[in-house]
Amino acid sequence: LQSIFLIQSGGLQMRDYELDINPASICTRLISIREQIAEEFANDLGVLAHTMGQHTMDSYYDLMEDIGLQKTKDRNNNGRRLPPHNLVFLGYALDPIDGFTPSPLRQHNFDLAVLLATQESIHRLLNKHCNDNDPHRQYLLDFYVERLESHFTGTQRYGRADDFLEELLFGPPRQVSVVQGEGTTVVVDPVRVAEWILQERREVALEWQSACKNIPSKDHIQIKRLQLDRLMQSYNSNT
């Protein structure tokens, strides 16, 4: 139903006026924006799945090869050591022919998607091995809990997912007890844990990418049908 709003002004020189609000028109614009964001997410999650994980590990092994004998020493250094990902594509439209610019918050949305996908992959790995006496799971659980507030909670800096992975990659190996009371310990390599997270994150990103692709073609079809029915009803009533 169409609504009419009275816009009142407190100034003496400003006139009051009425503004017609058509909810169907607002719905159309919301759907259009939602479809654009979904298309961007589908594209960017594909980059996350197919490129970023491999880039992280390649950069790490290249750095370890350059460091050589100083590997253990560099593992305990602070500060960002791996090169940043190439995210220039976030500033360009998916299809330059259509003339549409990227959504204003695309870069922020992408950073949030990377963070949430990383956290989801950690949760899935912890849940998969919840009944196992796996030392790698215990190491990941402790490492994740220690950084839950600083990396995954609240409004903070960008690139927290990369910070988490880099801290994990450069963390020192740790001895973890396999069975309590028997004195059996296993040395856990953080690099192996990071590789598990990246492999699981790839699956998460592909799963979310599929869901985003379904938004324009499946999730919105019923709403568009209702819009068309309303439009036809309005046209018939006017004629």
Side-chain angles (χ1 to χ4, degrees):
L1 297 178
Q2 188 168 358
S3 302
I4 299 177
F5 290 84
L6 178 63
I7 310 299
Q8 295 181 332
S9 173
L12 297 177
Q13 304 299 325
M14 300 296 294
R15 298 177 55 187
D16 298 338
Y17 62 94
E18 293 182 351
L19 179 64
D20 295 337
I21 302 296
N22 187 353
S25 177
I26 297 177
C27 181
T28 300
R29 297 180 63 181
L30 289 175
I31 288 178
S32 176
I33 295 173
R34 186 183 180 191
E35 288 182 352
Q36 180 185 5
I37 295 176
E39 290 175 356
E40 291 176 350
F41 264 127
N43 177 83
D44 299 345
L45 286 169
V47 175
L48 174 61
H50 300 295
T51 304
M52 292 185 64
Q54 188 64 42
H55 176 264
T56 297
M57 295 310 303
D58 289 345
S59 299
Y60 171 77
Y61 286 122
D62 289 343
L63 182 60
M64 289 298 98
E65 184 177 352
D66 294 338
I67 291 175
L69 297 178
Q70 297 182 354
K71 176 179 178 180
T72 304
K73 178 180 178 181
D74 261 49
R75 277 193 167 204
N76 297 321
N77 290 340
N78 295 322
R80 179 64 63 85
R81 280 153 287 187
L82 299 181
H85 301 286
N86 185 359
L87 304 179
V88 177
F89 67 93
L90 295 176
Y92 297 93
L94 299 181
D95 185 2
I97 298 178
D98 61 18
F100 292 107
T101 60
S103 58
L105 299 179
R106 184 180 180 187
Q107 296 186 15
H108 312 291
N109 292 339
F110 179 75
D111 183 82
L112 178 61
V114 174
L115 182 67
L116 292 178
T118 303
Q119 187 176 35
E120 175 65 15
S121 64
I122 295 172
H123 289 177
R124 292 188 182 187
L125 286 174
L126 294 176
N127 291 332
K128 283 181 180 179
H129 303 279
C130 61
N131 296 323
D132 299 340
N133 192 22
D134 189 345
H136 294 85
R137 180 189 182 277
Q138 186 60 46
Y139 179 91
L140 175 59
L141 178 61
D142 295 341
F143 191 90
Y144 172 64
V145 171
E146 290 174 359
R147 291 159 178 79
L148 180 60
E149 295 292 332
S150 60
H151 290 67
F152 298 97
T153 304
T155 302
Q156 300 183 30
R157 65 191 182 278
Y158 293 114
R160 285 174 287 169
D162 291 333
D163 292 341
F164 179 87
L165 291 170
E166 185 166 317
E167 291 172 16
L168 180 60
L169 286 168
F170 288 94
R174 191 172 74 178
Q175 291 185 342
V176 178
S177 298
V178 179
V179 180
Q180 296 182 355
E182 295 186 3
T184 303
T185 59
V186 173
V187 177
V188 175
D189 185 5
V191 177
R192 183 180 179 185
V193 178
E195 289 177 336
W196 284 357
I197 294 175
L198 292 174
Q199 292 172 2
E200 190 67 29
R201 191 176 73 175
R202 180 180 184 276
E203 300 302 321
V204 171
L206 292 175
E207 179 182 319
W208 290 0
Q209 181 189 43
S210 177
C212 289
K213 288 181 177 179
N214 290 333
I215 289 178
S217 60
K218 294 183 179 180
D219 295 359
H220 286 171
I221 189 65
Q222 187 63 28
I223 299 177
K224 291 182 177 180
R225 286 176 180 173
L226 292 174
Q227 285 183 304
L228 181 59
D229 293 340
R230 290 291 181 86
L231 180 62
M232 295 303 298
Q233 291 175 5
S234 176
Y235 176 79
N236 293 332
S237 62
N238 292 332
T239 56

Short mmCIF file of all heavy atoms in Angstrom, two decimals, residues 1 10 35 60 79 83 97 121 126 136 147 158 161 163 178-179 182 184 192 195 204 215 222:
data_model
loop_
_atom_site.label_atom_id
_atom_site.label_comp_id
_atom_site.label_asym_id
_atom_site.label_seq_id
_atom_site.Cartn_x
_atom_site.Cartn_y
_atom_site.Cartn_z
N LEU A 1 0.84 -1.18 0.00
CA LEU A 1 0.00 0.00 0.00
C LEU A 1 0.88 1.24 0.00
O LEU A 1 1.90 1.29 0.67
CB LEU A 1 -0.91 0.01 1.23
CG LEU A 1 -1.93 -1.14 1.34
CD1 LEU A 1 -2.71 -1.00 2.64
CD2 LEU A 1 -2.86 -1.16 0.15
N GLY A 10 10.74 23.31 10.64
CA GLY A 10 10.67 24.26 11.74
C GLY A 10 11.06 25.67 11.34
O GLY A 10 10.89 26.61 12.12
N GLU A 35 21.15 -8.11 -4.61
CA GLU A 35 21.68 -8.94 -5.68
C GLU A 35 23.10 -8.53 -6.05
O GLU A 35 23.95 -9.39 -6.33
CB GLU A 35 20.76 -8.88 -6.89
CG GLU A 35 19.44 -9.61 -6.70
CD GLU A 35 18.57 -9.58 -7.94
OE1 GLU A 35 18.94 -8.86 -8.90
OE2 GLU A 35 17.54 -10.26 -7.96
N TYR A 60 54.78 -18.12 2.73
CA TYR A 60 55.45 -18.63 3.93
C TYR A 60 56.66 -19.49 3.56
O TYR A 60 57.76 -19.28 4.10
CB TYR A 60 54.48 -19.44 4.78
CG TYR A 60 55.14 -20.18 5.92
CD1 TYR A 60 55.53 -19.50 7.07
CD2 TYR A 60 55.41 -21.54 5.82
CE1 TYR A 60 56.16 -20.17 8.11
CE2 TYR A 60 56.04 -22.21 6.86
CZ TYR A 60 56.41 -21.52 7.99
OH TYR A 60 57.04 -22.19 9.02
N GLY A 79 55.39 -8.64 14.31
CA GLY A 79 55.17 -7.85 13.13
C GLY A 79 54.83 -8.71 11.93
O GLY A 79 55.12 -9.91 11.88
N PRO A 83 53.86 -11.12 2.73
CA PRO A 83 53.36 -10.01 1.89
C PRO A 83 51.84 -10.00 1.85
O PRO A 83 51.20 -11.05 1.95
CB PRO A 83 53.97 -10.33 0.52
CG PRO A 83 54.20 -11.81 0.53
CD PRO A 83 54.57 -12.15 1.95
N ILE A 97 31.37 -3.67 -18.45
CA ILE A 97 30.51 -3.25 -19.56
C ILE A 97 29.21 -2.64 -19.05
O ILE A 97 28.68 -1.69 -19.63
CB ILE A 97 30.22 -4.44 -20.49
CG1 ILE A 97 31.53 -4.96 -21.10
CG2 ILE A 97 29.25 -4.04 -21.60
CD1 ILE A 97 31.35 -6.16 -21.99
N SER A 121 35.90 -22.23 9.62
CA SER A 121 36.76 -23.38 9.35
C SER A 121 37.39 -23.91 10.63
O SER A 121 37.54 -25.13 10.81
CB SER A 121 37.85 -22.99 8.34
OG SER A 121 38.71 -22.00 8.88
N LEU A 126 37.48 -28.17 14.85
CA LEU A 126 37.36 -28.54 16.26
C LEU A 126 36.20 -29.50 16.48
O LEU A 126 36.30 -30.44 17.29
CB LEU A 126 37.17 -27.29 17.11
CG LEU A 126 38.37 -26.33 17.17
CD1 LEU A 126 38.01 -25.08 17.97
CD2 LEU A 126 39.59 -27.01 17.78
N HIS A 136 46.83 -32.12 17.81
CA HIS A 136 46.70 -30.95 16.95
C HIS A 136 45.41 -30.20 17.26
O HIS A 136 45.37 -28.97 17.21
CB HIS A 136 46.72 -31.37 15.48
CG HIS A 136 48.03 -31.94 15.03
ND1 HIS A 136 48.36 -33.26 15.21
CD2 HIS A 136 49.10 -31.35 14.43
CE1 HIS A 136 49.58 -33.47 14.72
NE2 HIS A 136 50.05 -32.34 14.25
N ARG A 147 43.13 -16.15 21.33
CA ARG A 147 43.00 -15.02 20.40
C ARG A 147 41.55 -14.74 20.02
O ARG A 147 41.30 -13.96 19.08
CB ARG A 147 43.83 -15.30 19.14
CG ARG A 147 45.32 -15.28 19.41
CD ARG A 147 46.10 -16.02 18.35
NE ARG A 147 47.53 -15.93 18.61
CZ ARG A 147 48.17 -16.68 19.52
NH1 ARG A 147 47.49 -17.58 20.23
NH2 ARG A 147 49.47 -16.53 19.71
N TYR A 158 41.46 -4.20 10.38
CA TYR A 158 41.27 -5.09 9.25
C TYR A 158 42.43 -6.09 9.16
O TYR A 158 43.50 -5.87 9.71
CB TYR A 158 41.20 -4.28 7.96
CG TYR A 158 39.98 -3.41 7.86
CD1 TYR A 158 40.08 -2.02 7.85
CD2 TYR A 158 38.71 -3.97 7.78
CE1 TYR A 158 38.96 -1.22 7.77
CE2 TYR A 158 37.58 -3.18 7.70
CZ TYR A 158 37.71 -1.80 7.69
OH TYR A 158 36.59 -1.02 7.62
N ALA A 161 42.15 -11.99 10.13
CA ALA A 161 42.29 -13.39 9.73
C ALA A 161 43.73 -13.68 9.30
O ALA A 161 44.31 -14.72 9.67
CB ALA A 161 41.32 -13.72 8.59
N ASP A 163 46.34 -12.00 10.28
CA ASP A 163 47.16 -11.93 11.49
C ASP A 163 47.12 -13.25 12.26
O ASP A 163 48.16 -13.73 12.74
CB ASP A 163 46.65 -10.80 12.40
CG ASP A 163 46.88 -9.42 11.80
OD1 ASP A 163 47.72 -9.31 10.90
OD2 ASP A 163 46.21 -8.47 12.24
N VAL A 178 49.44 -36.73 24.72
CA VAL A 178 48.45 -37.49 23.97
C VAL A 178 47.44 -38.11 24.92
O VAL A 178 46.23 -37.99 24.75
CB VAL A 178 49.13 -38.58 23.12
CG1 VAL A 178 48.08 -39.40 22.38
CG2 VAL A 178 50.10 -37.95 22.14
N VAL A 179 47.90 -38.82 25.93
CA VAL A 179 47.04 -39.45 26.91
C VAL A 179 47.51 -39.00 28.28
O VAL A 179 48.68 -39.20 28.62
CB VAL A 179 47.05 -40.98 26.82
CG1 VAL A 179 46.14 -41.58 27.87
CG2 VAL A 179 46.64 -41.43 25.42
N GLU A 182 50.04 -41.02 31.17
CA GLU A 182 50.99 -41.98 30.63
C GLU A 182 52.31 -41.32 30.24
O GLU A 182 53.26 -42.00 29.90
CB GLU A 182 50.39 -42.68 29.41
CG GLU A 182 49.19 -43.55 29.74
CD GLU A 182 48.72 -44.33 28.53
OE1 GLU A 182 49.37 -44.22 27.47
OE2 GLU A 182 47.72 -45.07 28.65
N THR A 184 53.03 -39.64 27.58
CA THR A 184 53.30 -39.65 26.15
C THR A 184 53.02 -38.26 25.58
O THR A 184 51.95 -37.70 25.79
CB THR A 184 52.42 -40.67 25.42
OG1 THR A 184 52.64 -41.96 26.00
CG2 THR A 184 52.76 -40.71 23.94
N ARG A 192 51.36 -27.33 10.03
CA ARG A 192 50.39 -28.36 9.64
C ARG A 192 48.98 -27.94 10.04
O ARG A 192 48.02 -28.14 9.28
CB ARG A 192 50.75 -29.69 10.29
CG ARG A 192 49.84 -30.84 9.89
CD ARG A 192 50.26 -32.12 10.58
NE ARG A 192 49.37 -33.22 10.24
CZ ARG A 192 49.47 -34.45 10.78
NH1 ARG A 192 50.42 -34.70 11.67
NH2 ARG A 192 48.63 -35.40 10.43
N GLU A 195 47.71 -25.34 7.63
CA GLU A 195 47.32 -25.94 6.34
C GLU A 195 45.93 -26.57 6.45
O GLU A 195 45.13 -26.47 5.52
CB GLU A 195 48.35 -26.98 5.92
CG GLU A 195 49.67 -26.38 5.48
CD GLU A 195 50.70 -27.44 5.14
OE1 GLU A 195 50.57 -28.58 5.65
OE2 GLU A 195 51.64 -27.15 4.37
N VAL A 204 34.62 -24.05 2.99
CA VAL A 204 33.62 -23.11 3.51
C VAL A 204 33.33 -22.03 2.48
O VAL A 204 32.16 -21.69 2.22
CB VAL A 204 34.12 -22.48 4.82
CG1 VAL A 204 33.20 -21.34 5.26
CG2 VAL A 204 34.21 -23.52 5.92
N ILE A 215 20.99 -16.54 -4.62
CA ILE A 215 20.14 -15.44 -4.17
C ILE A 215 19.38 -14.79 -5.32
O ILE A 215 18.16 -14.65 -5.26
CB ILE A 215 20.97 -14.41 -3.39
CG1 ILE A 215 21.38 -15.00 -2.04
CG2 ILE A 215 20.19 -13.11 -3.17
CD1 ILE A 215 22.25 -14.10 -1.19
N GLN A 222 10.33 -15.50 -5.76
CA GLN A 222 9.00 -15.39 -5.19
C GLN A 222 8.64 -13.93 -4.92
O GLN A 222 7.49 -13.51 -5.15
CB GLN A 222 8.91 -16.20 -3.90
CG GLN A 222 7.51 -16.29 -3.32
CD GLN A 222 6.52 -17.02 -4.25
OE1 GLN A 222 6.93 -17.87 -5.04
NE2 GLN A 222 5.25 -16.68 -4.15
#
